[in-house]
Amino acid sequence: MKYYITTPIYYPNSSPHIGTAYTTIAADAMARLRRMKGDDVFFLTGTDENAQKIVRTAEGCNMDPQSYVDGIVDKFRELWRLLDISNDDFIRTTEKRHEKVVQAIFNRLYDKGDIYKSEYEGWYCTPCETFWTQNKLVDGKCPNPDCWREVELLKEESYFFKLSKYQDRLLQHIKDNPDFIQPASRRNEMIKFIEGGLEDLCVSRTTFQWGIKVPFDPKHVVYVWLDALINYISALGYPDGEKFIKYWPADVHLMGKDIVRFHAVIWPITLMALGIPLPKKVFGHGWFLSREGGKISKSRGNVQDAFELIRRYGSDPIRYFLLREMQWGVDGYYSEDDLVEKLNSDLANDLGNFVSRTLAMIVKYNGGNIPAPGPSTDLEKELKELSSKVKQTVEEKMLACDPAAALEAVWQFVGRCNKYVDETAPWNLAKDPGSKDRLNTVLYTLAECVRILGIFTAPFMPGVPKKIKPLLGNLDLFTDWEQTDQWGVLQPGTAVQKGEPIFPRIDVTALMAEKPAEQENEKSAHADAEKEKSKSIAEIKEEITIEEFAKLDLRVVKVLKAEKVEKTDKLLKLEVEMGQEVRTVVSGIAQHYAPEELVGKKVILVANLKPAKLRGIVSQGMILAASQGDQLEVLSLTKDIPTGAQVK
Ligand code: ME8
């Protein structure tokens, strides 16, 4: 079977980071699994280079856009190499092969009457590369909640693409094909969005020249999103390339939730207009957020150097952590501390130890050769059954774009293997010559478990089988997925080696010592902050007992509505949800927050404070905030704790 999977093509306006890496690693794991299952896979990634923001960034660095992107694209390629990404092609939208296809498609849509010339008057958000109408702006800014930056007014001659003409067909397609947009939450969002009415899309720009020229009107360059989406077929040699005929339609376009809209509207309509089948699935995963809150992104400046992380921990642990942490359909959290913790617990302790123990026992109790097994018992049967179950679960979960659940199933097997060691206690069997047959069965079964784990982990951590191979007789045993529930593959007599642990534990103290410069900076920043604090910190109030503290009833509440209290510049009136109850609270934070910034936030309410009347409004509690000087921040929650929960 053929299988075509894509990642977004990333903007090379700055180096790739952990967020960008997630999508590519997830797509890689899916591609690897399908290859191991014997499918004919094509896995595409690349870079989206014809954006206005690229021009701006390059200008800021006093460079021409081409030289600028060339440097960053090298970094993308290098990162994918270090992360063992097995893409079959890497497309750059500045390549001739892409430009040719974009121009041919533009011509075709124009000739067909689906693209027409008019004038665009409206707003443009360069960071999002998106057109916005006046009524969509929030406070005059980009309405994308992850952006909210200044927009620019454009008034220029433009070509327009008749999205409106295809609205009903698109809606019908989405409704008839529940798998087309996934997860269901994004699908519902898209249905609502399309039902709200599609406006024709501006698909050319004249105020800068960087990009693909409209072939019959070269003062226009093609709008970057139309240009970018076409990469999925230009890389296959559309319209008559062998690869296009073989691999299209795509089986999965994988991406973050931020760009599902472009893939669920502009892209299918382009394909419909060209008379090409639509991709089978557009999947929008959640975002990696930092523990401090907020999406990990270049613009927020909270990204960590991915190259440095690989140097410290290696590629497999990063792949494992990211794949395991991003739960299906929701956002995930990234922090280096969590990464180290997972590495030590799941990889070093659970998996690594199992492999080391098994090989050490074969060396110790059978001279380093895999013994021929004796008769089996229910324990071995149970392991065999579990391997089939895990194999099936991994396949199903990966088909549903859920690597976290797939890995959870694999770790169920890891857990069972460790339990098998404890249950069979080979060290006791070895003491009793009468148990030799049983010991042989156990050691053989353990070696088979190591082999099977090498295959189970291969799509997610391609480095694992490479490390296990020399320990397990240097045999090529890890490429055939079907062998995950076949037992008896290893030949008795195969020589094994103890080797080094496949995942050494990370010694956190040693790690800190390895980062002296960083630490020094941290230390001096800390000292500065302490000095600052000591200048202005308020005195600690008189001591209270735990009983006195327990009188406070602090609750998690969600802000449903927020508005300014008339004729004041400090007060906001909030409506908050606390379990089943809705309360009104007046809060003196108007100088620090626009009302919309608070809506949807989960904050902390002093719920048993005596109600007070402020400007005629009864306030039923108080919102907690931290403040120093003229800084203020409302305390908010980043995890999804239900409203009404107690804060203790
Ligand atoms: O949008 N968590 O490029 P881009 C998870 N060029 N995924 C993240 C992430 C995070 N914190 N940050 C980024 C573009 N991503 C366009 C795409 S496709 C025809 C054109 C990933 O460089 C995620 O896949 O802004 C997201 O959709 C993508 O990077 C955005 O990359």
Side-chain angles (χ1 to χ4, degrees):
M1 255 165 76
K2 73 92 190 166
Y3 181 73
Y4 179 30
I5 182 163
T6 67
T7 72
I9 47 170
Y10 305 103
Y11 291 124
N13 57 331
S14 64
S15 300
H17 56 83
I18 286 296
T20 0
Y22 171 72
T23 318
T24 315
I25 293 169
D28 183 66
M30 292 182 211
R32 282 178 182 273
L33 175 63
R34 298 302 286 251
R35 284 194 204 103
M36 289 173 73
K37 280 172 63 60
D39 290 342
D40 180 353
V41 173
F42 196 77
F43 167 25
L44 178 70
T45 189
T47 41
D48 181 1
E49 307 184 10
N50 299 316
Q52 190 180 1
K53 62 175 156 191
I54 302 278
V55 182
R56 298 250 165 106
T57 317
E59 272 168 10
C61 304
N62 262 331
M63 286 174 84
D64 68 281
Q66 191 65 60
S67 323
Y68 180 81
V69 291
D70 286 349
I72 304 275
V73 169
D74 285 347
K75 290 196 180 173
F76 272 91
R77 287 189 197 274
E78 177 60 3
L79 184 63
W80 299 157
R81 191 186 67 77
L82 292 172
L83 284 170
D84 267 320
I85 303 300
S86 62
N87 53 304
D88 296 289
D89 197 353
F90 184 105
I91 184 141
R92 301 182 57 177
T93 55
T94 46
E95 286 175 278
K96 214 52 211 149
R97 60 169 173 158
H98 175 73
E99 180 185 329
K100 216 173 66 187
V101 177
V102 171
Q103 289 186 326
I105 288 177
F106 205 96
N107 270 340
R108 171 116 184 256
L109 298 180
Y110 183 74
D111 292 345
K112 222 182 143 216
D114 281 345
I115 284 184
Y116 60 94
K117 197 176 196 173
S118 181
E119 182 163 274
Y120 178 73
E121 187 169 357
W123 299 92
Y124 193 74
C125 173
T126 307
C128 297
E129 301 289 357
T130 305
F131 297 96
W132 296 109
T133 49
Q134 174 73 39
N135 60 350
K136 291 265 164 46
L137 302 185
V138 174
D139 267 359
K141 296 201 173 137
C142 173
N144 172 0
D146 182 52
C147 175
W148 224 326
R149 279 172 282 193
E150 297 297 332
V151 285
E152 292 161 56
L153 186 61
L154 302 184
K155 188 171 183 332
E156 57 189 56
E157 180 189 277
S158 289
Y159 286 92
F160 281 80
F161 183 22
K162 282 188 187 163
L163 296 189
S164 52
K165 175 175 156 190
Y166 293 92
Q167 172 172 329
D168 295 342
R169 253 178 84 186
L170 176 62
L171 207 51
Q172 201 53 49
H173 183 85
I174 297 175
K175 288 184 176 167
D176 292 346
N177 296 279
D179 238 22
F180 177 52
I181 303 170
Q182 279 288 318
S185 53
R186 317 249 189 271
R187 178 170 176 265
N188 296 338
E189 259 168 46
M190 285 304 112
I191 292 178
K192 242 193 237 153
F193 177 77
I194 300 163
E195 281 175 345
L198 294 181
E199 282 167 26
D200 290 351
L201 176 74
C202 177
V203 285
S204 75
R205 300 288 310 273
T206 53
T207 41
F208 56 93
Q209 283 304 296
W210 173 248
I212 298 178
K213 299 212 179 330
V214 170
F216 49 86
D217 195 353
K219 75 170 191 284
H220 289 256
V221 291
V222 178
Y223 170 47
V224 64
W225 266 104
L226 180 64
D227 156 348
L229 289 160
I230 291 171
N231 91 88
Y232 300 131
I233 54 175
S234 67
L236 299 182
Y238 171 80
D240 47 13
E242 220 175 273
K243 288 196 194 106
F244 178 72
I245 292 155
K246 186 168 175 190
Y247 293 111
W248 190 259
D251 292 81
V252 192
H253 288 315
L254 191 66
M255 67 200 70
K257 60 185 178 181
D258 46 334
I259 57 172
V260 169
R261 191 159 54 91
F262 301 93
H263 287 78
V265 178
I266 307 176
W267 183 224
I269 289 183
T270 308
L271 294 168
M272 279 176 178
L274 293 169
I276 307 175
L278 304 196
K280 293 187 197 151
K281 189 185 284 199
V282 168
F283 188 89
H285 59 71
W287 284 336
F288 265 105
L289 310 177
S290 73
R291 281 263 168 229
E292 293 71 41
K295 180 185 170 203
I296 304 259
S297 74
K298 308 166 243 195
S299 56
R300 283 177 194 255
N302 58 0
V303 297
Q304 250 184 311
D305 184 350
F307 294 93
E308 177 56 22
L309 285 174
I310 296 174
R311 194 189 65 74
R312 268 183 219 156
Y313 308 110
S315 155
D316 281 342
I318 293 172
R319 290 177 61 113
Y320 176 79
F321 176 77
L322 294 180
L323 293 174
R324 187 84 201 248
E325 284 302 297
M326 180 71 88
Q327 302 295 316
W328 198 80
V330 293
D331 294 333
Y333 285 92
Y334 168 81
S335 84
E336 194 173 340
D337 290 348
D338 295 348
L339 187 144
V340 171
E341 210 223 271
K342 268 258 175 282
L343 199 173
N344 280 343
S345 64
D346 296 13
L347 299 182
N349 277 3
D350 299 346
L351 177 63
N353 261 353
F354 173 70
V355 173
S356 299
R357 278 167 99 189
T358 296
L359 298 170
M361 288 191 288
I362 296 175
V363 168
K364 189 164 173 195
Y365 305 132
N366 207 54
N369 290 322
I370 299 175
S376 292
T377 67
D378 279 354
L379 280 180
E380 287 77 41
K381 197 170 151 225
E382 203 192 310
L383 269 175
K384 287 177 193 173
E385 281 169 5
L386 184 63
S387 69
S388 294
K389 206 175 119 206
V390 169
K391 173 175 183 266
Q392 199 187 337
T393 309
V394 172
E395 290 170 12
E396 283 167 12
K397 294 297 175 188
M398 292 299 266
L399 203 61
C401 304
D402 190 356
L407 275 172
E408 199 180 310
V410 173
W411 251 253
Q412 206 190 335
F413 190 70
V414 174
R416 191 65 196 83
C417 291
N418 276 310
K419 196 165 159 224
Y420 177 80
V421 176
D422 298 338
E423 285 166 346
T424 53
W427 45 92
N428 288 336
L429 298 174
K431 285 182 207 152
D432 171 15
S435 300
K436 185 67 185 147
D437 261 8
R438 182 67 193 139
L439 176 66
N440 286 349
T441 303
V442 170
L443 293 181
Y444 183 82
T445 305
L446 288 172
E448 281 285 89
C449 288
V450 170
R451 174 187 65 78
I452 288 170
L453 280 170
I455 315 178
F456 269 149
T457 50
F460 310 95
M461 293 183 279
V464 172
K466 286 186 205 148
K467 286 182 188 158
I468 294 181
K469 185 180 165 184
L471 308 181
L472 214 56
N474 238 340
L475 299 166
D476 283 317
L477 296 164
F478 309 102
T479 49
D480 181 0
W481 181 256
E482 298 312 321
Q483 291 199 336
T484 43
D485 64 352
Q486 289 168 14
W487 292 71
V489 172
L490 285 170
Q491 289 300 317
T494 305
V496 305
Q497 282 182 43
K498 238 159 72 172
E500 296 293 312
I502 60 169
F503 288 108
R505 272 186 77 80
I506 296 285
D507 177 346
V508 183
T509 337
L511 187 72
M512 290 314 280
E514 212 198 280
K515 301 197 276 178
E518 251 174 67
Q519 252 184 343
E520 275 316 308
N521 291 343
E522 268 169 35
K523 258 194 222 153
S524 73
H526 184 68
D528 288 350
E530 286 300 310
K531 251 193 244 159
E532 259 323 292
K533 242 184 359 190
S534 65
K535 273 193 224 158
S536 54
I537 199 159
E539 288 227 314
I540 301 288
K541 294 182 186 161
E542 81 173 278
E543 231 170 54
I544 57 167
T545 63
I546 188 85
E547 288 75 21
E548 284 170 300
F549 174 74
K551 283 188 189 164
L552 275 178
D553 197 348
L554 303 176
R555 299 292 177 124
V556 173
V557 295
K558 181 168 161 191
V559 181
L560 301 175
K561 264 195 204 163
E563 59 188 33
K564 284 204 159 165
V565 176
E566 269 181 20
K567 296 190 194 125
T568 74
D569 47 20
K570 287 210 176 126
L571 299 182
L572 287 183
K573 179 182 160 195
L574 311 176
E575 258 181 41
V576 298
E577 174 203 85
M578 185 172 76
Q580 301 297 317
E581 195 185 333
V582 174
R583 288 194 178 194
T584 302
V585 179
V586 179
S587 183
I589 53 176
Q591 287 171 324
H592 303 275
Y593 288 92
E596 320 77 67
E597 275 180 88
L598 292 164
V599 175
K601 258 196 194 308
K602 286 196 171 163
V603 299
I604 299 176
L605 180 80
V606 186
N608 61 339
L609 193 69
K610 212 176 183 163
K613 217 176 198 179
L614 291 158
R615 299 276 167 151
I617 306 164
V618 178
S619 179
Q620 303 162 289
M622 185 173 78
I623 301 291
L624 293 189
S627 75
Q628 174 90 325
D630 49 18
Q631 277 185 308
L632 181 141
E633 184 171 359
V634 166
L635 301 185
S636 60
L637 278 84
T638 49
K639 283 201 183 166
D640 203 15
I641 307 258
T643 67
Q646 273 193 313
V647 180
K648 293 188 260 194

